[in-house]
Amino acid sequence: MPYFDTASAAPLHPVARQALLAALDEGWADPARLYREGRRARLLLDAAREAAAEAVGCRPDELVFTSSGTAAVHAGIAGALSGRRRVGRHLALSAVEHSSVLHSAAAHEAAGGSFTEVPVERSGAVDPAAYAGALRADTALACLQSANHEVGTEQPVEQVAALCAEAGIPLLVDAAQSLGWGPVAGRWSVLTASAHKWGGPAGVGLLAVRKGVRFAPQGPAGERESGRAPGFENLPAIVAAAASLRAVRDEAAAEAVRLRALVGRIRSVVAERVGDVEVVGDPERRLPHLVTFSCLYVDGETLLHELDRHGFSVSSGSSCTSSTLEPSHVLKAMGVLSEGNVRVSLPMGTAEADVDRFLDVLPGVVAEVRERLGAPVSAPPSPAPVASLVVDALGRRCPIPVIELAKVIGEVPVGATVTVLADDEAARLDIPAWCEMREQEYVGEEPADRGSAYVVRRLS
C-alpha cells in the first residue's frame, strides 16, 4: 500500500530503528552522572549532537535537542524575541509559515507584541524585496521557512538572510521539510527541525542558535540542554534521530534526482489526464519529493477517502477535509484553487510502478467524485440567455458553490454577470481561482445578508 504523505511523517528509517534499539540498551542512564553508565550515556549524547550539528552546519555547542519540532519553534521564537526585547517587539514572518510559527506570532501579539505577515507570490515564494520592506527599526526577529510544507516551494532564504544581517536582525529558519535533503544556505541565526520529517523517531526536535545571537530562554529554568529544553533527554530517540539524519543525507543526492523525475512526471501527467486541475507551487524551485494539485468540482475529503480505498495515502489542504471548514492558509496566501486539493510527498525508495499506478487510478477517482456531486462536464449552451443570474449556495460547502457557478455561466450572455451567494470561507478563494482557470472575469465580492455575494462576468 503506497504511502505518499512523507511531508507529514516519514517512515522510520532502518538506521533509526537499529540505533534506537541499540541505544535502549546502552543509553538509558542519566548523561549528567559521572559513574560509568552515565559516562556511556554522555558519550552517546555528545556523538549525536556532533552528528546533528554537522548536518545542520553549526557548532555542537550551538545545538540542543527538544521534545518536538513545534517545541523547537516555540522555544526559538520566544527566546530570540526576549533576548532582543530592548530593540522592540515586532516580528516579521511569511504568510505561509508552519502553524507553529503562526501560533507563536499570535501568542506574541496577545502578550502586547506585533507581527507582520509578508505576502507570497502565486508560486508560494516570498519576494526578498517585499520581505525587506516588512523589516522595521523595532523588528526583534524575522522568520522564514526553508521550504513550504504544503506545496514544496523553496524560499529564498539566502537572500533574505543577507538582508536581515544587513539590518542587524536575526533570522529564524524552520527547516523541518528540507533538512533531510541538505543544509540551509545563508547567514541564518536560529534554525529548527523535526526528526520525524526525515525518518527519525517522533518526539525529537532540533534548535540551533548561533553564537552571538541574543537569546533568553523562556519558562522555568532547566539544567539540561543549555537551559533551552528542560527535562530529561530522550537519549535513545536522540541517537536514532542523529543516525538517521546522517543516513538520509548520504542517500539524498541520488534520491533527489530520482524522486524529482517522478514528481515531474506526476506534475505533467495529472495536468494531461485530469481536466480542470491546477498544479500549484514553483515548478523549479521546489523540494524534490513533493507535488500539490487542486481539482475543480471535487470534495477534497471524498477524494482522499477514495484514494485511500484504492491503497494510496495522501494529504490535502482543502477546507472540506478540515474541521474548521476553512481552506489552508498556505493556499489562501498563494491565491490558488483549494477545493479538491491533493498533496503527494514521496518517501525515499518510492517505486516508479507505484507512481504509475497512482496516475492510472487518479483520473477515474476524480471523475467518479465529480459525477457523484453533479459537476458539469462542460458549460451547457442556452437558447435564451438572460441578462444576469443569482445562484444561492448559502449553507453549502466546497466545492458546491463553484459547481453551481459552472452550471449556469453559459446561461448568461457574454458581458453579463452571475452572482454567487455563499457563506463558505473557501468560496472567497475558489471562485476567483475558477475565473482565472476558465478565463472569466472575477468582478469582486460584495456584502450580503448572510455571507457574501461573489460577482463573476462571463467573457467567453
Side-chain angles (χ1 to χ4, degrees):
M1 182 173 179
Y3 175 77
F4 287 173
D5 192 25
T6 190
S8 293
L12 191 66
H13 194 281
V15 168
R17 184 182 300 276
Q18 294 169 4
L20 180 64
L21 293 175
L24 286 171
D25 292 331
E26 297 294 325
W28 52 267
D30 186 347
R33 301 301 170 222
L34 298 179
Y35 41 71
R36 62 179 180 275
E37 293 89 354
R39 294 196 305 272
R40 188 158 54 229
R42 168 57 64 179
L43 288 173
L44 289 173
L45 180 59
D46 289 345
R49 198 183 312 278
E50 289 177 6
E54 181 182 3
V56 168
C58 67
R59 293 169 35 160
D61 59 353
E62 294 174 328
L63 184 143
V64 300
F65 296 103
T66 67
S67 59
S68 68
T70 293
V73 167
H74 292 171
I77 292 178
L81 285 172
S82 180
R84 284 173 47 83
R85 59 187 177 276
R86 291 185 179 180
V87 173
R89 303 198 66 191
H90 178 251
L91 172 67
L93 62 151
S94 84
V96 294
E97 295 298 313
H98 187 267
S99 59
S100 60
V101 176
L102 302 183
H103 293 158
S104 287
H108 176 60
E109 184 179 50
S114 64
F115 68 91
T116 299
E117 284 191 3
V118 182
V120 296
E121 300 168 345
R122 195 172 178 83
S123 67
V126 298
D127 178 357
Y131 202 104
L135 303 178
R136 309 184 330 203
D138 64 337
T139 301
L141 178 67
C143 299
L144 182 63
Q145 59 189 188
S146 55
N148 187 260
H149 50 292
E150 290 195 25
V151 300
T153 297
E154 293 179 333
Q155 298 290 355
V157 171
E158 191 168 8
Q159 297 96 308
V160 171
L163 293 168
C164 289
E166 185 178 344
I169 298 169
L171 176 67
L172 181 148
V173 177
D174 170 16
Q177 288 295 334
S178 72
L179 192 61
W181 298 103
V184 176
R187 298 161 62 186
W188 52 265
S189 303
V190 183
L191 182 142
T192 64
S194 188
H196 75 281
K197 301 292 188 180
W198 66 67
V204 179
L206 305 183
L207 171 61
V209 182
R210 297 281 198 197
K211 293 294 182 183
V213 175
R214 291 187 176 276
F215 194 90
Q218 298 302 286
E223 295 79 23
R224 299 173 186 274
E225 295 301 297
S226 304
R228 294 174 181 172
F232 195 93
E233 297 94 344
N234 184 351
L235 187 52
I238 288 172
V239 170
S244 58
L245 180 55
R246 175 176 285 176
V248 297
R249 280 290 190 83
D250 290 342
E251 305 164 2
E255 273 296 279
V257 172
R258 198 180 69 84
L259 293 182
R260 188 174 291 276
L262 291 179
V263 165
R265 175 166 167 74
I266 295 173
R267 292 179 67 91
S268 60
V269 173
V270 165
E272 292 170 2
R273 297 183 185 176
V274 181
D276 295 316
V277 68
E278 182 178 13
V279 182
V280 302
D282 195 295
E284 301 297 332
R285 291 182 54 84
R286 57 178 173 82
L287 293 171
H289 69 302
L290 196 156
V291 57
T292 301
F293 54 89
S294 300
C295 307
L296 269 175
Y297 319 135
V298 170
D299 174 356
E301 185 173 4
T302 301
L303 180 57
L304 261 60
H305 283 318
E306 288 301 312
L307 288 171
D308 181 55
R309 194 168 62 84
H310 283 82
F312 295 98
S313 302
V314 298
S315 185
S316 173
S318 290
S319 60
C320 32
T321 63
S322 68
S323 58
T324 63
L325 296 178
E326 292 185 5
S328 148
H329 72 277
V330 172
L331 301 178
K332 189 174 183 179
M334 294 168 62
V336 298
L337 184 70
S338 75
E339 66 184 52
N341 179 262
V342 175
R343 180 184 70 181
V344 175
S345 47
L346 307 177
M348 290 186 174
T350 296
E352 184 176 352
D354 288 337
V355 172
D356 288 340
R357 191 167 72 83
F358 173 78
L359 293 172
D360 288 339
V361 166
L362 179 68
V365 169
V366 172
E368 180 182 336
V369 174
R370 284 174 173 166
E371 182 179 4
R372 197 180 305 170
L373 291 169
V377 178
S378 60
S382 174
V386 295
S388 62
L389 280 175
V390 176
V391 174
D392 186 353
L394 292 168
R396 310 184 73 183
R397 302 302 175 193
C398 73
I400 300 302
V402 177
I403 289 177
E404 295 302 315
L405 168 62
K407 284 180 178 179
V408 302
I409 191 71
E411 297 179 13
V412 300
V414 172
T417 61
V418 174
T419 300
V420 182
L421 304 178
D423 53 5
D424 179 17
E425 180 64 24
R428 180 170 285 111
L429 181 63
D430 291 344
I431 289 176
W434 179 89
C435 290
E436 181 165 332
M437 294 175 69
R438 308 302 277 174
E439 298 183 341
Q440 308 296 342
E441 179 187 353
Y442 177 63
V443 177
E445 177 184 350
E446 300 173 354
D449 290 339
R450 287 169 44 220
S452 299
Y454 302 95
V455 183
V456 176
R457 178 173 287 108
R458 182 182 175 187
L459 298 183
S460 60

